Amino acid sequence: MTCPEARSILIELLYRELPAGQRPALTAHLDRCRACQGARRELEATVAALDRWTPAVPRDLHARLAAALGLRSGNCL
Amino acid sequence: MGRHAAALFAFFRRLGCSPAGAEDLVQTAVVRLYQTRRRYQSGRPFRPWLYGIAWRVWRDHQRRARRERRQAPPEEEPLEEVPSTAPDPFQRAQEAQEQTRVRQAVQRLPASQRLALILRHYHGLTYEELARVQGVPPGTAKWRVHQAMATVRRYLQRPQGGSRVP
């Protein structure tokens, strides 16, 4: 596996969506390529940073929506 | 639909809407989902349909706002995010600042990349589902997510204070 090939599927590895068939080749490449190890760490840091951004959802969002749409809360929304 | 309202709210917030604006758009999206429900084919994945409608609602809103020349830039209020539960005030402030930086990084992305990243990362859509929402081939959807990730990474690595994404 080449570096561009490895980097094109790194994100799937982090999302745990890499097809099982591709994992051994990527793991083997990462074991021996320091540049791609660094790319993996950077991507992990970016994913972790994105995970920390959580917009607060109003507690009464559902009830307000139901009221605005003329529905009984819990009925349809 | 109940479980989707909160997800739609977060979706619109991440695209750059104010809390009140996001709530209005959730309402619009729910109405549009109801109006177009007959077009949804049972058995087909629901999320691409849901977010396709939500995306069009947001896009229409943006166009209208531009036309009316009252499009506001993304707000800069760190308290919009879920407050940190860290006991240390310094740590809380740092976490709030980190959330603000991530928000800035995402909201500075080109719209197509922002949508791709938000749907992929926060809403778990596959590239195929993402491609369906955006009306592009899966390869293009994947490229947009990769580009967005790289841009966000570069933005977060920059020293704070600048404004241009490299």
Side-chain angles (χ1 to χ4, degrees), chain A:
Chain A
M1 179 174 280
T2 65
C3 291
E5 286 169 345
R7 291 182 195 200
S8 74
I9 55 174
L10 266 181
I11 193 166
E12 278 67 47
L13 182 71
L14 298 190
Y15 284 144
R16 300 171 197 271
E17 292 177 5
L18 189 66
Q22 288 184 296
R23 204 166 299 149
L26 178 58
T27 305
H29 180 85
L30 287 171
D31 283 345
R32 64 172 188 274
C33 178
R34 296 184 69 159
C36 285
Q37 289 168 13
R40 177 188 177 160
R41 280 193 297 273
E42 287 186 343
L43 194 55
E44 281 172 340
T46 306
V47 166
L50 286 169
D51 284 342
R52 286 195 288 271
W53 180 29
T54 313
V57 177
R59 281 171 178 254
D60 57 349
L61 174 69
H62 182 216
R64 284 213 301 266
L65 273 174
L69 296 170
L71 301 166
R72 272 180 297 173
S73 187
N75 193 19
C76 176
L77 279 173

Side-chain angles (χ1 to χ4, degrees), chain B residues 59-114:
Chain B
R59 199 185 50 193
D60 293 348
H61 165 74
Q62 289 294 99
R63 285 177 181 158
R64 206 165 42 247
R66 268 198 298 272
R67 239 186 350 255
E68 295 169 7
R69 295 178 179 277
R70 57 178 165 79
Q71 182 183 16
E75 296 113 36
E76 300 289 338
E77 358 154 351
L79 287 179
E80 73 180 84
E81 279 89 28
V82 171
S84 165
T85 53
D88 176 14
F90 177 75
Q91 194 182 341
R92 280 203 299 273
Q94 196 173 19
E95 287 177 8
Q97 196 176 24
E98 281 176 8
Q99 288 206 37
T100 301
R101 289 266 294 166
V102 174
R103 187 184 71 210
Q104 288 170 340
V106 172
Q107 292 182 350
R108 278 169 165 76
L109 292 169
S112 61
Q113 290 181 26
R114 195 184 336 154

